[in-house]
Amino acid sequence: MMRHLTITVIILLATIMAAEAATVRAVVDRNQAVVGESIRLQLFIEGGDGEADLSGLTDFKILSRGSSSSFQIVNGRTSRQLIHDYVLVPLRAGTLTIPVIPVTVDGKRYTSDPIQITVTPEPPADSGQRDVYVTAQVSEPSPWIGQQVVYTFRLFNAIQVADAKFQAPEFTGFQAEELEDRQSRRTVINGREFVLTEVVFILVPVKTGPLTIESAVLQVGLAQRSRQPRPFAGMDAFFGRSPMTTRVLQTDPITVVVRDLPPRPSGTSFSGLVGVFDMHAAMEKTDLRVGDSTTLAITIDGTGNIMDAAAPAIRVPEAFKTYADNPEETVRKETGGYTGSKIFRTALVPVNAGQYRIEPVALTYFDVNAGAYRTLATPPMDVRVSPSEAPAGDIDLLRRAPGTAASVKKPVEFTGRDILPLKDGLEALNTHRSMSPLWFGLFLLLPALGFFTAITVARMTRKDDTPARTMIDRARQALNAATSPDIPDSDFLSALYRALVSAILGRQGIMGASLNRSEANDHLLQIGWDENAAAAAAALLETIESLNYSGSTLDPNKRLELLAHTRQIVRRLAR
Amino acid sequence: MKRLALILLILSCIQVVPIVAAATETARTFMDGTQAYREKDWPAAIGAFEHLAQKGVNNGRLFYNLGNAYLKNDDIGRALLWYERAKKLIPDDPDLQFNYDYALTLIQDEQKQKDSSLPRILFFWKYRLHPPTVRWLAIVLNALLWAALAVLAIRRKHLLRPSIILMASAAMIFSATAVYNFIEAARLRDAIILPATVAVRSGFSDSATQLFVLHAGTKVRVERESDDHLLIRYTEDKIGWIKKDDAGVI
């Protein structure tokens, strides 16, 4: 019997455990696709939470679309379902397999079933049969080091695309800068009209040898073509509610062979410029007086790394002082690369009269078209300097502004870059203690506690100045005065009278100094005294008053009797 | 009595000597670090300053020095990590701001956009004032408020009422901001990418799909962490897993 019961319990427990074990299912929305076309993969985990390990999906690019969960109640049993949502993009054609996906739930490993996906290759790009595709090309496959190369990424789409996300290549070995304007235009390929969008980068190789530009990747959403006609599909299209499918497009990698510059010809000073350049010079005035200034402007323009152009060396006769101005640079980024000009202005101030010659200014650069170094030179310039009309001593050359351009305010530029020094004071060793939330709460609470304490203390110590309190105090003071042994009879009786009147009026909250017998009786009845007690108290008041006015002498026993009687009434009234 | 006094003196000396010795050693390590920095021995300077930081010295100036040493050692990731840690302690230090700005020019990845401009306009005090300043403002305003309430209750100075309403509003705003700052500091964690290049992947293993690449010095938000990995978010649409060693939590 016991044995049967044990087996039954084991079977029951096993059934419950089996019922509570997690299950994992993988579901795709299609099992046929074209390379780059997205497939939706949903991973259903029932009976627990778990992270899926997708590292086995090497034939697909994986994009996570988040997770969701839901609860179900079936036959009174509650179960939770966790759904991980992914987009898979096949990376090659063929029969691909989504392998078993391991999921760890509560330390136990579960797996989904494998799924076969048939992936067909895309038609050629120039056939016009693809709805959307991308290409990339460079302007120069074998540039010189330092020569700018234009990298153009092109998106061709014959159907509308949305939510495009572009990931440019790393451009390792290049300095890369993107042109800000992305141009779109229409073009026809094999009789079919496409929208062509171009993204252009200007690349400057910084090392020699073969360099590979990795694939550029574009993720786009495409309106899904429904295989079966659906009612109101036209309305969906009208309202932009067509179902979207994600495509990941990528270009082929491009290899660029970067050539080193040839050896520099002896006797020349290479400026570091690589490209195609021109140079010319202009002198503002060639006929001067001593102390006057003229400006020599050297302009270098062309295509290439114009921004790297340094000021060319100008050989000026010793009779001139020179003041170099900041260069004026105009560089544009165009689809052909960097192009523009750089103007170097130098103010020349003659200090002696005479005929002088400014020697030619030379610039050596590397001509990428010719594949050789080329030296440019300006023509020599003659300057005639006549004596100044002012006395020579009056010409303060050093204080005189060398030219109008020098007086123009300019933004201060960094001439060198470095960080500021260490903080070497030993205060760097004092540990900073930040305020904890607990202390912050206490600091907020303390003033409130202080407030309530102050209010309580104020209430406790506040003097009661109501008429009732004042009159009762007055009655007590008068009674105390009456107890003094040296007090004369008249003062004793006045004190008793004052004590009684104050006590009776104080009980009713009335200020006053005198009462007759009937008034006292009425007041006492009003506060609830019985008639006898009220009459007795009123009679005592009248007795005291009459003794006081009669001027008779009181024997000690009478004094004690009156005092005791009065005290008794006052105490009762002050209670 | 004299003997007792002598024993007490000796005992107090025994207590004090290790503290003084530890302080001297700490100061010596710091001086060694600054000397190594002056001699351009960046690894030695880093070693000395890191030693102090690991010993528990929590000081913005020390962290600034560490940032400098790492920057000089061409380790932009760790330089920015320590500058960020220093900014939490000495946010208004001009030297730190200058060097931090300089370091930012050296990182390769585009900086994330900060919060949208509308909250920055509406809650300008939260973004313009540093958390310690907000905390102390809340404490001071709260104390003033209760003091004014006490005066109002005891002295019945009704003229105080308009100013009390203003003070109560300000105290509530700054207290709420301070509490929000505490919650934000506890819940939101940022990290700095340390190696020159880090592949952010869809899963834990090295064969998981590489989603995007980040470079040294880039600041990311830590969303979740496992034993060896961090789930990081670079922008709204860029999220993935990296190894814990590849990022330093600020």
Side-chain angles (χ1 to χ4, degrees):
Chain A
M1 180 64 187
M2 193 64 191
R3 195 177 164 193
H4 282 129
L5 186 65
T6 311
I7 290 168
T8 310
V9 168
I10 290 170
I11 290 169
L12 267 173
L13 281 173
T15 311
I16 290 165
M17 286 175 74
E20 290 183 350
T23 58
V24 175
R25 281 185 300 124
V27 177
V28 291
D29 66 337
R30 67 174 88 176
N31 51 20
Q32 289 188 336
V34 178
V35 173
E37 198 172 22
S38 65
I39 300 163
R40 186 181 184 194
L41 168 68
Q42 286 184 299
L43 203 60
F44 295 87
I45 304 169
E46 287 179 16
D49 289 347
E51 291 284 347
D53 181 5
L54 301 179
S55 56
L57 279 75
T58 52
D59 290 332
F60 301 89
K61 183 179 176 65
I62 307 163
L63 303 168
S64 176
R65 284 284 178 269
S67 304
S68 60
S69 61
S70 63
F71 283 94
Q72 288 179 323
I73 301 174
V74 179
N75 294 334
R77 263 194 72 210
T78 305
S79 65
R80 180 168 178 259
Q81 182 172 254
L82 179 66
I83 307 163
H84 291 302
D85 213 338
Y86 303 97
V87 170
L88 305 183
V89 180
L91 297 174
R92 62 179 180 84
T95 304
L96 308 183
T97 303
I98 298 174
V100 291
I101 299 171
V103 177
T104 305
V105 180
D106 297 333
K108 281 189 72 178
R109 191 167 178 269
Y110 300 88
T111 54
S112 64
D113 294 332
I115 302 169
Q116 299 279 340
I117 305 286
T118 306
V119 181
T120 51
E122 288 190 295
D126 55 0
S127 66
Q129 293 174 17
R130 293 193 203 176
D131 289 335
V132 55
Y133 64 96
V134 294
T135 64
Q137 69 175 60
V138 292
S139 60
E140 175 58 61
S142 54
W144 301 95
I145 188 165
Q147 179 185 351
Q148 58 189 10
V149 179
V150 178
Y151 173 92
T152 310
F153 170 89
R154 293 190 176 92
L155 164 67
F156 297 85
N157 59 295
I159 59 172
Q160 195 172 358
V161 298
D163 296 336
K165 288 175 184 166
F166 175 62
Q167 186 181 334
E170 279 291 302
F171 296 122
T172 308
F174 296 90
Q175 283 179 353
E177 191 170 8
E178 184 186 346
L179 252 61
E180 285 157 10
D181 295 334
R182 293 182 177 180
Q183 303 286 341
S184 288
R185 62 177 191 274
R186 293 189 178 278
T187 183
V188 175
I189 295 171
N190 207 11
R192 193 172 179 199
E193 189 178 49
F194 285 81
V195 175
L196 167 59
T197 305
E198 288 185 336
V199 182
V200 178
F201 290 83
I202 301 172
L203 310 179
V204 178
V206 294
K207 63 181 184 183
T208 57
L211 299 176
T212 301
I213 301 171
E214 299 297 337
S215 303
V217 180
L218 183 75
Q219 180 184 321
V220 290
L222 304 177
Q224 203 169 2
R225 288 178 178 166
S226 178
R227 293 187 177 90
Q228 294 175 341
R230 291 187 300 111
F232 308 113
M235 294 293 281
D236 283 350
F238 180 79
F239 288 111
R241 293 187 309 215
S242 302
M244 301 294 285
T245 179
T246 302
R247 285 285 299 270
V248 175
L249 308 163
Q250 57 183 23
T251 61
D252 294 330
I254 300 173
T255 300
V256 173
V257 180
V258 180
R259 293 177 284 174
D260 201 359
L261 299 183
R264 293 163 198 170
S266 59
T268 59
S269 175
F270 178 44
S271 64
L273 296 180
V274 179
V276 179
F277 299 98
D278 196 6
M279 180 174 71
H280 53 271
M283 182 73 83
E284 185 188 17
K285 288 184 286 185
T286 55
D287 200 351
L288 304 167
R289 288 182 182 279
V290 171
D292 287 352
S293 74
T294 183
T295 302
L296 171 62
I298 309 286
T299 305
I300 303 169
D301 56 19
T303 303
N305 56 336
I306 183 75
M307 68 293 286
D308 296 333
I314 304 170
R315 283 174 293 164
V316 180
E318 286 184 356
F320 285 82
K321 283 184 176 292
T322 60
Y323 302 90
D325 198 357
N326 284 337
E328 181 185 324
E329 185 179 290
T330 311
V331 179
R332 298 178 299 281
K333 288 185 288 181
E334 298 176 349
T335 50
Y338 296 112
T339 184
S341 64
K342 205 163 180 180
I343 304 172
F344 299 91
R345 291 191 178 88
T346 305
L348 307 177
V349 182
V351 293
N352 291 317
Q355 186 74 31
Y356 300 99
R357 167 163 284 196
I358 309 293
E359 294 299 325
V361 177
L363 174 83
T364 301
Y365 74 98
F366 187 79
D367 189 332
V368 293
N369 291 341
Y373 292 95
R374 194 175 159 211
T375 300
L376 303 171
T378 60
M381 283 170 280
D382 294 322
V383 180
R384 194 172 69 86
V385 181
S386 38
S388 169
E389 290 177 350
D394 294 345
I395 302 169
D396 187 354
L397 291 171
L398 294 177
R399 296 179 62 184
R400 184 187 177 103
T404 49
S407 65
V408 177
K409 303 281 188 300
K410 291 186 175 63
V412 177
E413 304 280 351
F414 279 110
T415 54
R417 296 307 306 267
D418 200 357
I419 54 174
L420 297 176
L422 283 190
K423 295 183 184 296
D424 51 7
L426 287 177
E427 62 270 18
L429 298 174
N430 300 331
T431 288
H432 171 89
R433 297 185 198 286
S434 59
M435 188 187 294
S436 70
L438 182 68
W439 277 108
F440 177 69
L442 275 177
F443 278 130
L444 287 190
L445 206 59
L446 276 177
L449 288 176
F451 168 79
F452 289 114
T453 308
I455 294 294
T456 309
V457 168
R459 281 196 183 154
M460 287 171 68
T461 57
R462 179 176 291 166
K463 194 176 173 183
D464 189 356
D465 51 359
T466 57
R469 188 76 251 164
T470 307
M471 293 301 281
I472 293 296
D473 287 346
R474 198 177 285 175
R476 286 193 174 128
Q477 283 169 9
L479 209 55
N480 286 340
T483 55
S484 175
D486 303 330
I487 189 168
D489 287 347
S490 60
D491 292 347
F492 171 74
L493 291 167
S494 296
L496 292 185
Y497 177 81
R498 206 164 55 247
L500 273 174
V501 169
S502 298
I504 292 167
L505 291 174
R507 183 62 187 268
Q508 285 197 302
I510 300 168
M511 298 291 285
S514 65
L515 283 174
N516 57 30
R517 178 178 181 161
S518 65
E519 287 170 344
N521 191 50
D522 291 345
H523 280 297
L524 291 169
L525 288 173
Q526 281 171 16
I527 62 173
W529 281 36
D530 60 65
E531 286 182 2
N532 292 336
L540 177 65
L541 182 69
E542 189 182 46
T543 305
I544 292 168
E545 193 175 16
S546 61
L547 285 171
N548 193 14
Y549 284 119
S550 67
S552 57
T553 306
L554 294 176
D555 62 70
N557 290 334
K558 185 68 179 173
R559 280 177 74 125
L560 286 174
E561 183 194 345
L562 288 172
L563 182 62
H565 200 177
T566 306
R567 182 179 284 144
Q568 187 184 2
I569 292 169
V570 168
R571 278 183 182 166
R572 186 178 173 190
L573 286 166
R575 217 177 279 160
Chain B
M1 191 63 192
K2 275 186 179 176
R3 181 176 285 178
L4 181 66
L6 190 64
I7 290 167
L8 284 174
L9 183 68
I10 291 167
L11 278 175
S12 60
C13 286
I14 291 168
Q15 291 277 327
V16 167
V17 164
I19 297 168
V20 173
T24 312
E25 188 199 335
T26 305
R28 196 183 302 121
T29 308
F30 181 73
M31 302 300 277
D32 289 347
T34 53
Q35 184 62 29
Y37 187 92
R38 283 193 204 99
E39 290 167 1
K40 302 189 176 177
D41 185 355
W42 318 123
I46 289 168
F49 295 145
E50 281 263 25
H51 177 69
L52 293 172
Q54 282 167 6
K55 275 180 68 179
V57 178
N58 185 36
N59 187 294
R61 289 162 172 266
L62 177 68
F63 296 171
Y64 162 87
N65 289 351
L66 256 171
N68 276 13
Y70 272 119
L71 195 59
K72 287 288 188 184
N73 201 37
D74 291 332
D75 191 342
I76 181 68
R78 284 181 177 79
L80 272 165
L81 173 65
W82 285 103
Y83 282 149
E84 288 280 2
R85 287 174 176 169
K87 271 168 74 70
K88 283 191 163 182
L89 302 175
I90 46 169
D92 296 322
D93 189 277
D95 294 14
L96 172 61
Q97 192 58 48
F98 182 89
N99 290 4
Y100 177 74
D101 290 342
Y102 173 72
L104 285 181
T105 63
L106 303 178
I107 62 175
Q108 292 186 39
D109 297 327
E110 200 174 30
Q111 278 188 273
K112 285 186 289 185
Q113 291 292 316
K114 290 187 173 175
D115 296 346
S116 61
S117 57
L118 187 62
R120 296 185 80 84
I121 293 168
L122 290 179
F123 306 106
F124 62 90
W125 63 91
K126 190 239 181 284
Y127 296 96
R128 298 297 297 268
L129 300 174
H130 297 295
T133 313
V134 172
R135 277 200 291 274
W136 282 110
L137 273 172
I139 288 167
V140 170
L141 284 168
N142 185 58
L144 287 175
L145 170 68
W146 286 104
L149 283 173
V151 171
L152 180 71
I154 294 168
R155 296 281 176 191
R156 306 195 190 287
K157 300 275 186 191
H158 295 286
L159 286 174
L160 283 173
R161 272 192 183 151
S163 55
I164 282 175
I165 292 168
L166 279 176
M167 261 189 281
S169 309
M172 280 179 65
I173 287 171
F174 280 99
S175 300
T177 309
V179 170
Y180 180 82
N181 284 342
F182 275 123
I183 294 169
E184 190 179 52
R187 293 225 169 163
L188 304 183
R189 290 188 307 156
D190 290 330
I192 299 290
I193 299 294
L194 298 178
T197 307
V198 169
V200 184
R201 299 185 182 277
S202 61
F204 295 161
S205 69
D206 288 342
S207 58
T209 304
Q210 175 182 304
L211 300 175
F212 54 95
V213 173
L214 292 177
H215 297 90
T218 301
K219 193 174 180 180
V220 293
R221 171 68 41 88
V222 178
E223 297 284 343
R224 216 160 65 218
E225 68 179 286
S226 68
D227 290 344
D228 300 319
H229 290 78
L230 296 174
L231 179 68
I232 55 111
R233 181 184 291 278
Y234 172 57
T235 53
E236 278 303 311
D237 61 339
K238 287 194 172 63
I239 184 166
W241 290 92
I242 61 172
K243 288 176 184 164
K244 264 188 179 172
D245 294 342
D246 289 343
V249 177
I250 297 168

